[in-house]
Amino acid sequence: MKPEMEPKVVNSSEIVEKKTFIGWFKRKWKNDPLFSILIALIIMVILQTLTLGFDYGSFGEWFQAWTNNWINILRNNAGIGIVALGMTFVIMTGGIDLSVGSTLVITGAFTMYLLDTGAQGILGSVGVTGVPAIILTVLLVMAFGYLLGSLIGVTITKGMVPPFIATLGAMMIFRSVTQHFAQGYNTTVPTEFLQISSFKIGNYMIMPIIYWIIIAAILYYVSKRTIFGRQIIAVGSNERAAKLSGVNVNKVKLRVYGLMGLLVSIAAIIQVSRIGSMDFSNAGRGMEMDAIAAAVVGGTNMLGGRGFILGTVYGMLIIAVMNNLLNLFGVPPFLREAFKGVIVIVAVLLQRKQKTA
């Protein structure tokens, strides 16, 4: 008679640990938007790395190619990433800004008019040149951007115009006015101004990336540690309750749209200093959709009241990596917008699912 085989002993602690990890992962996925966004980003980075391949002579060559690819991705998306940070605050208040692309164009044109080394240069005509001209230009352009954003804010708060309509009108006005006055006008900016974006650290031109990181860190602090950050959430969550609790709702909205204009002007300075010029007809087209997509993918609620600066950074990276993957796969440019649209719709559906869960 064959001896009975002893039953396999299963370690119950391993089962509990496995169940605990799975349960923890599910809870984090459902309840922590930043966690789910980070996991999605990690998966896309892995796919991108695999797509780039490993057909190199050494690990050093592969790592150099991988690093160069990532620096190009970050540098090309730094301007939109900065605008997306401002869009996060706007959406958190329950608003929207469709004018960011046109604001980029008009502030970029203002930058070039101020710095033009020709006879029509504004600062050059009054004898301000060199480094003082560059510093003054940066300050004036940022002030101009804040003014434009504040005008939109006044239209929304004092004029009682819905944000969609106010910013749609501003989008058409800003670009139309710029194209009218800048038609046939070719400017030449000083080579020193180009160093704002082209200055090398090591062998890499990463200044736009550094600006993005610094601004993201500042706005993260503002959103988490300041009264203004809490007021933005309060206004977006329940405007009436915010008023009853003593929050000046109109002032908060005005400051948010002013900040949006300021950030767009910084993006304009970066773009002009990168390429030395700007195509007033096409520059900034679609930027509003990219900024909104990054914010929504990053967990910002389109209805207001919730948003994450870090999530927007993740969202921008996801969209940037997706664009890079589609380029590597040879997907036609016109179809890439379709993928972006799918990502936005899925992100909104997931937000609704989290609310009902």
Side-chain angles (χ1 to χ4, degrees):
M1 184 174 178
K2 293 182 179 180
E4 294 184 2
M5 295 181 64
E6 294 184 4
K8 184 178 180 180
V9 178
V10 180
N11 191 338
S12 59
S13 63
E14 292 180 2
I15 298 176
V16 172
E17 183 179 356
K18 184 177 180 181
K19 288 183 177 179
T20 302
F21 174 77
I22 294 174
W24 171 84
F25 188 89
K26 287 182 177 180
R27 287 193 301 272
K28 291 286 287 183
W29 182 270
K30 288 182 179 179
N31 302 322
D32 188 350
L34 289 180
F35 178 80
S36 56
I37 298 163
L38 180 59
I39 295 298
L41 176 59
I42 291 172
I43 292 172
M44 293 198 70
V45 171
I46 293 173
L47 288 174
Q48 180 208 34
T49 302
L50 294 174
T51 304
L52 285 172
F54 302 93
D55 189 18
Y56 295 90
S58 64
F59 174 80
E61 291 181 7
W62 171 83
F63 185 75
Q64 184 68 42
W66 187 87
T67 301
N68 290 337
N69 185 64
W70 259 102
I71 287 177
N72 288 332
I73 290 173
L74 295 174
R75 186 171 62 242
N76 291 337
N77 289 277
I80 300 176
I82 291 171
V83 174
L85 297 173
M87 189 67 76
T88 302
F89 278 4
V90 170
I91 297 176
M92 284 171 67
T93 63
I96 199 74
D97 192 345
L98 302 179
S99 68
V100 292
S102 297
T103 304
L104 179 90
V105 168
I106 194 170
T107 52
F110 185 51
T111 303
M112 297 173 68
Y113 272 94
L114 287 171
L115 280 175
D116 186 11
T117 56
Q120 293 179 301
I122 296 174
L123 294 181
S125 64
V126 295
V128 182
T129 58
V131 175
I134 294 173
I135 296 174
L136 185 57
T137 295
V138 170
L139 295 176
L140 288 174
V141 171
M142 289 171 63
F144 183 52
Y146 188 87
L147 174 63
L148 293 176
S150 297
L151 288 175
I152 294 174
V154 169
T155 305
I156 293 170
T157 56
K158 302 298 184 181
M160 303 298 289
V161 178
F164 181 89
I165 301 300
T167 58
L168 180 64
M171 176 182 72
M172 294 185 286
I173 293 170
F174 293 164
R175 189 177 295 273
S176 177
V177 169
T178 303
Q179 288 178 316
H180 173 74
F181 287 102
Q183 57 182 337
Y185 181 60
N186 296 318
T187 59
T188 304
V189 298
T191 55
E192 295 86 356
F193 180 74
L194 303 181
Q195 292 299 307
I196 290 177
S197 290
S198 302
F199 180 79
K200 288 186 178 181
I201 296 180
N203 294 321
Y204 302 106
M205 292 186 291
I206 59 173
M207 292 308 297
I209 304 172
I210 293 175
Y211 302 142
W212 184 15
I213 293 172
I214 292 173
I215 293 172
I218 293 172
L219 294 185
Y220 177 84
Y221 177 83
V222 169
S223 66
K224 294 291 185 181
R225 303 290 185 218
T226 66
I227 295 175
F228 180 52
R230 292 191 288 272
Q231 288 176 338
I232 291 173
I233 296 173
V235 170
S237 299
N238 191 321
E239 189 170 315
R240 185 170 181 274
K243 286 182 179 179
L244 294 174
S245 63
V247 176
N248 189 331
V249 173
N250 285 348
K251 184 178 179 181
V252 171
K253 289 183 179 181
L254 188 64
R255 292 173 66 186
V256 165
Y257 281 95
L259 176 63
M260 181 80 261
L262 173 65
L263 294 175
V264 175
S265 69
I266 294 173
I269 292 170
I270 292 173
Q271 181 163 334
V272 173
S273 63
R274 278 188 62 197
I275 60 180
S277 62
M278 180 175 284
D279 181 356
F280 302 132
S281 298
N282 299 307
R285 289 197 183 275
M287 174 175 278
E288 61 281 346
M289 299 312 299
D290 287 335
I292 293 170
V296 172
V297 171
T300 301
N301 191 337
M302 285 297 295
L303 299 177
R306 187 183 75 171
F308 310 95
I309 291 297
L310 188 57
T312 298
V313 174
Y314 291 162
M316 189 69 251
L317 291 176
I318 287 174
I319 293 173
V321 172
M322 182 199 69
N323 287 334
N324 184 244
L325 279 171
L326 295 176
N327 183 50
L328 293 173
F329 288 142
V331 176
F334 294 113
L335 288 178
R336 296 174 193 174
E337 296 300 313
F339 285 91
K340 196 179 301 180
V342 170
I343 286 182
V344 172
I345 293 173
V346 170
V348 173
L349 289 175
L350 288 175
Q351 286 180 7
R352 292 186 175 183
K353 187 176 180 182
Q354 287 173 352
K355 278 190 173 184
T356 57

